[in-house]
Amino acid sequence: MVHFIGAGPGAEDLITVRGAKLLGEADVIIYAGSLVNPALLNYKKESCAVYDSASMTLEQVIEVMRDTEARGGMTVRLHTGDPSLYGAIREQMDELDKLGIGYDVTPGVSSFSGAAAALCAEYTLPEVSQSVIITRMAGRTPVPEGEELRKMASHGCTMVLFLSTGLLEDVEQELAAGGYAPDTPAAIVYKATWPEQRVYRCTVSTLAKTARENQVTKTALITIGHFLGDDYERSKLYDPTFTHEFREASK
Ligand code: SAH
């Protein structure tokens, strides 16, 4: 059996209880050493073998899983954040299907949640934005037609950009082309929830400069939108004049 596990955004106590338990039972752990906090390996048992996938190909990863399975062992494949986002798990699962090896997925706290926590922010403020677009700037990995950043930006809603910290000049241009005013609030969150977490508040026109001045080149998320501003409407849910399923409005 192979367990794909979301490691969470960084802090070692932000893995799920289920994920930590499976880490403790694993005979082999393959983890993304470039992004997963190595402190998470503290959960493993002593006899567990550890592989860092940073220098491995898909074929090599599958090879380790197959060998472990052949010996009757259990593999944990530890991915940063939540594996469903930019996790490259689909291709592994398809290979495991071909080999008849069973697997399941344990979700994790994505770094976009970690970034909101670092900012003490709410992405979906009433009358400000009720949607979050999670995307990336096209780089060496292209984005499909129709998902160009400028098109995504045209909605004007909350945006969270993964994998884009090295392309911030382009990001600024695309956001402007999509209609964000230069002074729209933005923030760069570096290593959210890690001990070395840093938060830089800026605007869409100062993203590149802010990253440069603070030497942020990777492991960061770019958040954009007026959820970072001061204006919003309070929620209906907790409004005393609003009746809903669980509460009568007070007179
Ligand atoms: N599955 C992961 C994302 C993997 S893609 C998740 O759910 O978070 C890797 C990118 O995620 C990095 O380039 C960076 O943009 C972002 N990232 C991962 N961990 C981060 C963290 N702790 N703080 C800020 N950005 C992070």
Side-chain angles (χ1 to χ4, degrees):
M1 184 80 182
V2 175
H3 298 282
F4 292 92
I5 296 180
E12 63 186 284
D13 56 353
L14 281 177
I15 190 168
T16 63
V17 174
R18 185 189 298 178
K21 183 168 169 285
L22 288 167
L23 274 181
E25 294 168 3
D27 302 298
V28 170
I29 295 172
I30 310 172
Y31 80 116
S34 52
L35 278 165
V36 171
N37 188 347
L40 281 155
L41 298 174
N42 293 337
Y43 290 103
K44 74 175 179 63
K45 62 186 181 191
E46 209 167 316
S47 60
C48 176
V50 177
Y51 294 83
D52 180 352
S53 62
S55 61
M56 295 166 78
T57 62
L58 170 64
E59 287 71 16
Q60 290 168 330
V61 167
I62 299 297
E63 184 78 27
V64 172
M65 291 173 175
R66 187 167 55 187
D67 285 355
T68 311
E69 192 72 11
R71 285 184 279 109
M74 186 267 266
T75 304
V76 162
R77 179 70 170 105
L78 191 59
H79 283 274
T80 181
D82 183 77
S84 70
L85 290 170
Y86 309 107
I89 58 166
R90 170 67 188 268
E91 60 195 28
Q92 298 173 69
M93 296 190 289
D94 283 349
E95 290 304 313
L96 293 175
D97 281 341
K98 287 184 206 159
L99 295 169
I101 298 174
Y103 53 83
D104 64 10
V105 182
T106 300
V109 177
S110 175
S111 59
F112 84 85
S113 299
L119 289 160
C120 292
E122 179 177 348
Y123 288 138
T124 53
L125 287 175
E127 313 269 319
V128 174
S129 181
Q130 290 291 289
S131 312
V132 183
I133 292 183
I134 289 172
T135 187
R136 65 180 299 169
M137 180 75 205
R140 286 170 69 195
T141 304
V143 302
E145 211 186 313
E147 294 185 26
E148 295 86 1
L149 195 53
R150 64 179 63 197
K151 282 202 179 148
M152 295 298 197
S154 69
H155 295 280
C157 65
T158 299
M159 294 187 81
V160 181
L161 305 186
F162 284 69
L163 299 158
S164 303
T165 319
L167 301 163
L168 289 180
E169 267 93 12
D170 298 336
V171 167
E172 284 183 12
Q173 276 183 16
E174 289 292 299
L175 294 176
Y180 281 103
D183 61 352
T184 307
I188 302 173
V189 183
Y190 171 76
K191 285 202 150 185
T193 81
W194 287 66
E196 55 269 48
Q197 165 184 299
R198 283 182 277 144
V199 170
Y200 303 104
R201 292 175 193 265
C202 57
T203 65
V204 299
S205 60
T206 58
L207 279 165
K209 175 170 164 280
T210 304
R212 208 169 36 244
E213 282 173 3
N214 295 289
Q215 284 107 45
V216 180
T217 56
K218 57 179 184 174
T219 330
L221 287 175
I222 312 304
T223 65
I224 299 136
H226 289 285
F227 77 97
L228 291 162
D230 297 325
D231 299 326
Y232 66 97
E233 292 300 316
R234 60 176 284 179
S235 72
K236 297 266 184 258
L237 190 61
Y238 297 106
D239 180 341
T241 64
F242 188 73
T243 296
H244 61 71
E245 192 182 350
F246 300 104
R247 188 171 50 74
E248 278 292 316
S250 49
K251 301 269 154 22

